[in-house]
Amino acid sequence: MKIGIIGAMREEITPLLEIFGTYKEIILGDNSFYNIFYKNSEIYIAYSKIGKVHAALTASGMILHFGCEKIIFSGVAGGLRADLKVGDLMIATKLCQHDVDISAFGHPLGFIPESKIYIQSDSKLNDIARLVAKKHDTPLKEGIIASGDQFIASAEKKRWLIETFGADGVEMEGAGVAVVCDLLKVPFCIFRSISDSADGEADVSFDEFLDSSARVSANFVKNMVDTLLQ
Ligand code: SAH
């Protein structure tokens, strides 16, 4: 099996590269892909750079160039629900693009013709994630993730995301990966550990907790990979 693991920022994949230890670097589209042989399988790890376009390119490269059969995203996000606190880990049950707006033509926010507002992540991978969480006694939360090319750091915008999309978490890449995987029919799941609450203090919180939250997600993803390859 070939598994692709994507982060947005270097900090999000560093813990994974440390865990796996030995890798070969392959450059494609000015993007480093770290190739690892593990348990008779291949893993490709890369950080895409921030934003949906970069994430979509990395996911496409993983699938179309390297032949990855499953995609896992590991990273951090802003928590929109009161029970999603810094360091908590969540999976996205479905994802949307909160910055898509062609409502001038009567379409709902987040909707693109011939596409859909929400893209479901893979239910089998999510079930495996729930089992891994149980096995390792790790609390795993779930919810809707809204992605957009904006760092959300305001109570007002946060409220709007909750009211408009029912979003529980916000980040900048998940939906880009979701669109690519959905169209190319490759199962994917999105793990995010909370780095901030997308409010007025989000930037300070993000800087303080990026590394520790990225590690929470990466450690879980390692356990997920072990379960997928057993
Ligand atoms: N400090 C960085 C920019 C971080 S952007 C720099 O200066 O380069 C935030 C990253 O973390 C994105 O990859 C996004 O997916 C995620 N993220 C965490 N909290 C977020 C929030 N409140 N809003 C949007 N994205 C968030």
Side-chain angles (χ1 to χ4, degrees):
M1 195 195 296
K2 287 188 185 179
I3 301 175
I5 306 175
I6 307 176
M9 304 173 65
R10 184 181 291 282
E11 290 86 342
E12 290 170 324
I13 66 158
T14 297
L16 282 161
L17 295 178
E18 283 171 9
I19 291 168
F20 287 109
T22 312
Y23 45 80
K24 183 175 84 187
E25 183 179 2
I26 307 163
I27 295 175
L28 175 72
D30 202 23
N31 198 182
S32 292
F33 291 79
Y34 300 97
N35 180 215
I36 293 151
F37 286 87
Y38 184 66
K39 297 193 174 176
N40 291 323
S41 291
E42 270 187 79
I43 301 172
Y44 288 85
I45 301 177
Y47 75 95
S48 58
K49 297 195 281 281
I50 294 166
K52 287 182 287 156
V53 174
H54 285 127
L57 175 63
T58 301
S60 304
M62 292 261 186
I63 296 165
L64 298 173
H65 188 81
F66 296 113
C68 291
E69 298 147 285
K70 293 191 193 324
I71 298 289
I72 300 175
F73 194 101
S74 180
V76 304
L80 303 177
R81 248 171 32 208
D83 72 313
L84 284 168
K85 300 206 174 8
V86 166
D88 286 357
L89 184 65
M90 71 179 291
I91 43 171
T93 49
K94 56 183 186 176
L95 300 101
C96 62
Q97 299 187 58
H98 69 71
D99 54 356
V100 163
D101 181 354
I102 46 172
S103 59
F105 299 94
H107 297 297
L109 290 171
F111 178 75
I112 293 175
E114 298 185 38
S115 186
K116 47 204 166 192
I117 299 180
Y118 297 100
I119 294 173
Q120 313 271 349
S121 52
D122 185 66
S123 60
K124 285 194 198 124
L125 286 177
N126 290 342
D127 281 344
I128 294 170
R130 293 177 189 114
L131 285 176
V132 171
K134 211 174 245 172
K135 183 174 160 203
H136 292 272
D137 210 12
T138 308
L140 179 65
K141 295 183 175 171
E142 307 188 7
I144 297 174
I145 283 189
S147 311
D149 291 334
Q150 302 157 5
F151 182 76
I152 304 300
S154 100
E156 197 187 330
K157 194 75 204 264
K158 180 174 167 173
R159 203 163 34 244
W160 180 83
L161 287 168
I162 298 168
E163 282 165 9
T164 312
F165 295 103
D168 302 297
V170 63
E171 36 86 313
M172 303 176 68
E173 298 81 18
V177 171
V179 168
V180 168
C181 292
D182 189 52
L183 292 173
L184 297 177
K185 308 218 174 334
V186 171
F188 73 96
C189 61
I190 309 283
F191 291 95
R192 292 280 185 173
S193 173
I194 303 302
S195 55
D196 62 86
S197 298
D199 53 14
E201 281 90 58
D203 53 336
V204 176
S205 177
F206 178 89
D207 283 343
E208 185 175 350
F209 297 110
L210 167 62
D211 288 333
S212 56
S213 294
R215 205 162 286 279
V216 169
S217 179
N219 287 339
F220 193 94
V221 165
K222 166 65 168 50
N223 292 335
M224 182 83 186
V225 167
D226 282 337
T227 303
L228 284 171
L229 298 182
Q230 82 195 357

